[in-house]
Amino acid sequence: MNAALGTIAVSLTAVLSFASPARAASQALLNVSYDSTRELYEEIDQAFVADYATRHAGQKPDVQQSHAGSGKQARAVVDGLRADVVTLALGADIDAIVKGGLINEGWQSELSNNSSPYTSTIVFLVRKGNPKAVKDWGDLIKPDIKVITPNPKTSGGARWNFLAAWGYAAQVKGHDFSNADSAVAAEKAGKEAKEFPAFDDAKGKAFVEALFKNVPVLDSGARGSTVTFAQKGLGDVLISWENEAWLAQEEYKDQFEIVYPSVSILAEPPVAIVDKNVDERGTRALAEDYLKFLYSEPGQEIIAANHYRPRDTAVLSRYADKLPAIPLFTIDESFGGWTNAQKHFFNDGGVFDQIYKVNK
């Protein structure tokens, strides 16, 4: 089994033991992150510790990680997982921790770029040769396509996938997505659209409902879906974080190809200090130092090398061949921000629950 993709979760028991008071709290830090950032933060942590040691007379803090679906991680922090920092897939998950009384209001203004040190987007991973000729979102509702995507109730990446598909459908004017045979016409219409119209419930809902009829299984996180597609061989196309698609392509030589759709969504995974925890444990200075490192040139270089899109434009330009420019719409302009999107689509009884019950 592939070592990178085969590890789906970190033992919660092991992570909680890390937070024991017997440890030197001021020199220990726990980063609770989302499902597909394991490799990124392994490199970030190693570089940060080395950098910290050069600035603090050889002191080396003990930085540890926890990974699972972003929504699941947010709930774990609220329920007692002693994170010093969270680096999650979307702002709504950090807002849930705010509601739990652990992170202060206004967290998103504490660091630049809305506390998002990098961006990403949603792409497709297909099998070598692209046997089902998947070129754009419209192809995903064809009756002979099996689509792999995680569960939006537990996975932040899945919520980005869902809204990327919805946004594609909403931009296409005058098209009925309830007819799966019209996928080719939908693709053409999408490419011809000049701008994204206002939020469109009818077309968006029809499209994602048709798409989820083609989803045979919902894993709890993005990494689990990658394992399902790449190792278990299930599905024709994986809707994926860009970095996750690149990782699978590199790990499984000559087995997969990445397809960039005509449009996708600008994903801005945010980071935050867990204020209550760092103040209790005396780790605020270390946590601040850690998050600032993500914005430094060495941190941005590591981010780009792991196929995330760095905020530093000079670093991004050096990776233009692997991080190509594509048309992107934002959560704010298309859905009114994560607070509205979370409530409308993903809270209990929301749109996803409605369409998934129909498809089941």
Side-chain angles (χ1 to χ4, degrees):
M1 178 179 289
N2 179 273
L5 296 178
T7 305
I8 298 178
V10 172
S11 169
L12 185 60
T13 301
V15 171
L16 289 172
S17 67
F18 153 78
S20 169
R23 306 292 292 271
S26 63
Q27 288 298 309
L29 180 143
L30 174 60
N31 172 15
V32 172
S33 195
Y34 60 101
D35 207 35
S36 62
T37 59
R38 291 174 178 84
E39 295 75 24
L40 169 65
Y41 281 108
E42 285 173 4
E43 292 191 37
I44 287 286
D45 293 354
Q46 184 177 5
F48 170 73
V49 169
D51 178 74
Y52 188 93
T54 65
R55 295 182 287 109
H56 294 83
Q59 296 181 44
K60 294 184 177 181
D62 181 11
V63 182
Q64 294 197 14
Q65 305 168 220
S66 170
H67 299 271
S70 186
K72 183 178 180 180
Q73 291 290 75
R75 287 192 294 274
V77 173
V78 172
D79 290 341
L81 181 57
R82 298 278 284 175
D84 297 279
V85 300
V86 287
T87 57
L88 297 178
L90 44 90
D93 288 332
I94 297 182
D95 286 338
I97 304 173
V98 173
K99 292 178 182 178
L102 300 177
I103 295 177
N104 297 336
E105 296 279 356
W107 63 269
Q108 206 153 13
S109 63
E110 292 182 1
L111 293 166
S112 59
N113 300 116
N114 292 320
S115 290
S116 298
Y118 63 86
T119 69
S120 189
T121 192
I122 303 303
V123 301
F124 307 146
L125 189 69
V126 299
R127 304 195 184 279
K128 191 68 175 181
N130 196 2
K132 293 296 182 74
V134 173
K135 297 179 181 179
D136 209 349
W137 292 100
D139 295 314
L140 304 189
I141 62 173
K142 292 179 179 178
D144 64 335
I145 295 288
K146 295 299 181 186
V147 179
I148 303 300
T149 184
N151 188 343
K153 302 291 282 188
T154 55
S155 167
R159 277 170 272 176
W160 286 115
N161 294 354
F162 183 103
L163 295 181
W166 188 290
Y168 166 81
Q171 69 149 338
V172 183
K173 300 179 180 180
H175 181 78
D176 179 11
F177 278 102
S178 62
N179 180 3
D181 293 334
S182 61
V184 174
E187 178 185 338
K188 181 179 179 182
K191 291 179 179 178
E192 291 176 352
K194 301 300 182 184
E195 61 183 5
F196 291 91
F199 179 82
D200 188 324
D201 262 326
K203 285 186 293 190
K205 188 173 184 179
F207 183 75
V208 295
E209 187 173 324
L211 191 157
F212 274 89
K213 287 179 181 177
N214 288 348
V215 176
V217 61
L218 290 175
D219 292 290
S220 63
R223 181 55 54 87
S225 286
T226 303
V227 170
T228 293
F229 183 76
Q231 289 188 359
K232 298 179 181 179
L234 185 63
D236 302 300
V237 55
L238 171 70
I239 308 178
S240 173
W241 287 109
E242 184 177 31
N243 65 283
E244 192 78 354
W246 275 101
L247 176 63
Q249 184 174 252
E250 291 171 352
E251 292 286 346
Y252 297 88
K253 302 294 185 183
D254 301 321
Q255 294 187 39
F256 304 109
E257 298 176 9
I258 297 173
V259 174
Y260 282 85
S262 62
V263 293
S264 194
I265 195 165
L266 176 67
E268 297 181 286
V271 302
I273 291 172
V274 185
D275 295 288
K276 183 177 180 180
N277 290 349
V278 298
D279 289 342
E280 289 179 352
R281 301 180 63 232
T283 56
R284 179 174 289 276
L286 181 61
E288 290 176 348
D289 209 2
Y290 182 79
L291 293 187
K292 288 178 182 178
F293 181 77
L294 299 177
Y295 288 86
S296 69
E297 185 173 353
Q300 292 282 287
E301 186 73 29
I302 292 169
I303 284 167
N306 281 270
H307 308 295
Y308 300 82
R309 297 180 177 233
R311 293 293 193 175
D312 188 314
T313 55
V315 176
L316 179 60
S317 66
R318 295 198 289 270
Y319 289 82
D321 59 330
K322 291 189 174 181
L323 299 170
I326 64 171
L328 300 173
F329 55 91
T330 72
I331 186 76
D332 290 335
E333 70 186 8
S334 297
F335 303 101
W338 265 112
T339 299
N340 290 334
Q342 177 67 35
K343 180 179 179 180
H344 183 71
F345 293 105
F346 308 118
N347 281 358
D348 291 346
V351 172
F352 175 73
D353 284 349
Q354 298 166 22
I355 68 160
Y356 191 60
K357 289 177 181 177
V358 170
N359 289 335
K360 289 175 69 175

